């Protein structure tokens, strides 16, 4: 799952991303980038996030934790 | 291309999806597209821009704006700024039960009509057909309300992807050089069946599979409006071709074609002649033929000609034609009135002069096909197929004697006749039984009673190979002369010189002889 999320973020932002990356680290991950990332995640993972999740999950680590704890999509798999 | 985006919703996400060729230079502030267009101090006027894309959301437009105001603003803008302008069509969500009665639909319909009229008024404006895109992929998948509420983003991840592809397509189409001429085979390409064999019974009507061919003819004919030229390149007798084009089901008529090559020459030679006659380079040619052998010949000898593959599944023929032939080779985003005239101009210029042409090498092409024939003698395995060939074959049929199953069986069993059955295969396809010959042995003579080949394999010198096999067999028999009969009729002209080429001497109007 970790690789998949990094790949999606990579494609959306067209910028190298690792698990420590977070919003405003680089130009394309601004607030619009945040929304666009979640549009792509919803479409690729077939998951619907809540408004609050979309606003709060502002780093790759937070996203991976949410996916693991709420949707049982484990990082290591 | 430096591109600036205008919209009445937030479409900035698009920059994450665009192809490299389209660089996202900037966009209007949310809701400010009209002001940016009107205000000559806006970023839109200051920057060096090649392309402006205006994406109008139907629901927002319905609530707020007056399209005429938008048109005026765009018109004024284009007077001051030299650039290409992509104007979107609009869509509403069809989610009312009374969808067709609902006033919203009138709005959508009228707005799109006005947008298209407006597009025609200015050659720098092209349509970005969002309405079509959403119709094709579905509004449920293309809109996403969550991101509308979160950030005034109307569209889904999928739609942004589709939209980005569509923008690239429109730009490529606008800048690409279109091909000029579509050259058509006839049998099983613009009608079903073989005109020289089936005559009036070719498939071309509103019934069953015939409908596929009427529709393809309509789609082909529509190209004339785009200024595309049409020509024919067919192995057929000219009079049969005219008969086909005069068939009651035919949409295309003789006058639609600038050149009609209906003869028994090789198709690459014909194409070169068409190219010379019209003075159009072969790289502007598209050649459509259902036969893989003809296509391979053209691909190998005339690689400049675009020769698309042909769909195996006839049901997709029309859709394939539009997406693979029209959109690939004759793409248009605008149509000019000169386009419609072009066909007539060319027809006038084209005189039927004899043209010298270089002969690309047929021998090496044929050897690349790895043709194998197999001849079996007096076999009773395929009697029905032989009878069928005898009944149906008109073009390469030397005597035109018609036989039924019973007749064929009698020849096979008889001591004074020999029946040669011809099977054909090449590297692409095993065709099976494609011809036969019957020889009568009488008074030390071997007389050709029948010699025929299916039109599927004509033009590959199979007749010579077949004859050689028969000749080998006859030489072992107690005969000293071969005699050939040729009964001429308007359909079998292709066989006229058959015996002469094989070294026979003409001894009467329909009889030829060769010593063994």
């Amino acid at each position: 799952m970790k690789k998949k999320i990094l790949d999606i973020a990579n494609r959306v932002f067209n910028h190298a991303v690792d698990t420590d990356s977070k919003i405003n680290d680089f130009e394309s991950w601004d607030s619009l980038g945040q929304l666009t990332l979640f549009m792509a995640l919803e479409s690729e993972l077939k998951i619907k996030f809540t408004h609050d999740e979309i606003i709060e999950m502002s780093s790759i680590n937070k996203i991976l934790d949410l996916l693991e704890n709420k949707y049982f999509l484990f990082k290591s798999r | 291309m430096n591109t600036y985006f205008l919209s009445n919703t937030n479409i900035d996400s698009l920059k994450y999806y665009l192809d490299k060729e389209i660089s996202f230079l900037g966009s209007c502030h949310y809701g400010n597209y009209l002001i940016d267009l009107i205000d000559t101090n806006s970023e839109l006027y200051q920057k060096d821009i090649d392309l402006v894309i205006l994406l109008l959301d139907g629901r927002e437009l319905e609530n707020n704006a007056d399209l005429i105001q938008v048109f005026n603003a765009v018109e004024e803008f284009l007077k001051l700024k030299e650039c290409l302008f992509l104007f979107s069509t609009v869509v509403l969500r069809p989610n009312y039960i009374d969808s067709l009665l609902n006033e919203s639909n009138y709005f959508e319909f009228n707005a799109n009509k006005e947008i298209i009229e407006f597009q025609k008024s200015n050659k720098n404006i092209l349509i970005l057909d969002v309405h079509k895109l959403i119709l094709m992929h579905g509004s449920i998948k293309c809109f996403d309300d969550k991101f509308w509420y979160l950030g005034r983003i109307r569209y889904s991840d999928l739609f942004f992807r589709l939209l980005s592809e569509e923008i690239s397509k429109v730009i490529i189409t606008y800048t690409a050089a279109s091909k000029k001429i579509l050259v058509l085979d006839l049998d099983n390409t613009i009608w079903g069946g073989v005109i020289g064999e089936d005559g009036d019974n070719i498939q071309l009507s509103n019934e069953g599979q015939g409908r596929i061919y009427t529709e393809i003819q309509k789609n082909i004919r529509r190209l004339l409006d785009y200024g595309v030229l049409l020509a024919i390149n067919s192995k057929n007798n000219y009079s049969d071709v005219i008969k086909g084009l005069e068939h009651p089901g035919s949409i295309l008529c003789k006058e639609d074609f600038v050149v009609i090559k209906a003869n028994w020459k090789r198709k690459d030679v014909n194409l070169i002649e068409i190219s010379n006659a019209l003075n159009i380079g072969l790289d502007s040619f598209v050649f459509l033929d259902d036969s893989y052998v003809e296509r391979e010949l053209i691909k190998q000898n005339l690689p400049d000609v675009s020769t698309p593959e042909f769909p195996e599944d006839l049901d997709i023929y029309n859709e394939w034609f539009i997406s693979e032939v029209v959109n690939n080779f004759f793409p248009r985003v605008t149509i000019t009135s000169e386009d419609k005239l072009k066909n007539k101009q060319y027809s006038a210029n084209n005189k039927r002069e004899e043209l010298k042409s270089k002969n690309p090498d047929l021998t090496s092409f044929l050897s690349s096909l790895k043709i194998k024939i197999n001849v079996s003698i007096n076999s009773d395995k395929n009697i029905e197929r032989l009878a069928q060939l005898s009944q149906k074959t008109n073009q390469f049929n030397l005597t035109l004697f018609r036989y039924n199953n019973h007749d064929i069986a009698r020849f096979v069993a008889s001591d004074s006749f020999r029946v040669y059955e011809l099977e054909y295969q090449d590297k692409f396809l095993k065709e099976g039984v494609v011809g036969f010959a019957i020889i009568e042995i009488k008074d030390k003579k071997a007389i050709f009673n029948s010699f025929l080949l299916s039109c599927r394999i004509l033009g590959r010198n199979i007749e010579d190979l077949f004859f050689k096999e028969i000749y080998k067999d006859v030489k072992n028999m107690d005969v000293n002369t071969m005699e050939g009969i040729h009964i001429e009729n308007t359909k079998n002209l292709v066989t006229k010189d058959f015996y002469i080429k094989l070294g026979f001497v003409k001894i009467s109007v329909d009889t030829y002889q060769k010593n063994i």
Side-chain angles (χ1 to χ4, degrees), chain B residues 332-398:
Chain B
R332 287 294 156 101
V333 277
T334 53
I335 296 176
T336 65
S337 50
E338 296 98 79
D339 285 338
K340 297 194 177 190
L341 281 174
K342 218 182 270 173
N343 226 45
K344 289 182 183 132
Q345 292 162 356
Y346 271 103
S347 294
N349 291 342
N350 172 31
K351 296 184 192 103
R352 289 167 185 250
E353 47 190 322
E354 263 317 305
L355 293 151
K356 62 178 165 50
S357 58
K358 59 176 175 161
N359 271 11
D361 188 9
L362 182 67
T363 327
S364 67
F365 167 70
L366 287 177
S367 69
S368 79
L369 279 178
K370 302 205 176 10
I371 292 172
K372 270 190 212 148
I373 65 163
N374 181 43
V375 175
S376 32
I377 302 169
N378 289 345
S379 151
D380 56 4
K381 268 188 259 162
N382 295 304
I383 283 175
E384 279 176 19
R385 170 68 180 146
L386 301 193
Q388 185 196 31
L389 280 168
S390 167
Q391 298 293 334
K392 278 182 60 184
T393 307
N394 291 321
Q395 291 172 348
F396 206 108
N397 189 341
L398 288 161

Side-chain angles (χ1 to χ4, degrees), chain A residues 11-13 28 30 32-33 35-36 38-40 42-44 48-51 54-55, chain B residues 10 12-13 15-17 144-147 149-153 155-158 160-161:
Chain A
R11 170 175 67 75
V12 170
F13 296 135
S28 54
D30 55 7
L32 177 75
L35 292 184
T36 312
F38 273 81
M39 281 169 57
E42 285 203 344
S43 134
E44 301 266 351
K48 294 282 180 195
F49 298 97
T50 67
H51 286 209
I54 292 172
I55 291 159
Chain B
N10 180 359
D12 285 6
S13 294
K15 69 181 166 202
Y16 297 95
Y17 295 85
D144 192 331
D145 282 344
K146 178 185 291 172
F147 294 91
Y149 296 123
L150 272 166
R152 295 296 176 263
I153 299 168
Y155 307 108
S156 67
D157 176 64
L158 169 74
F160 277 115
R161 248 181 278 174

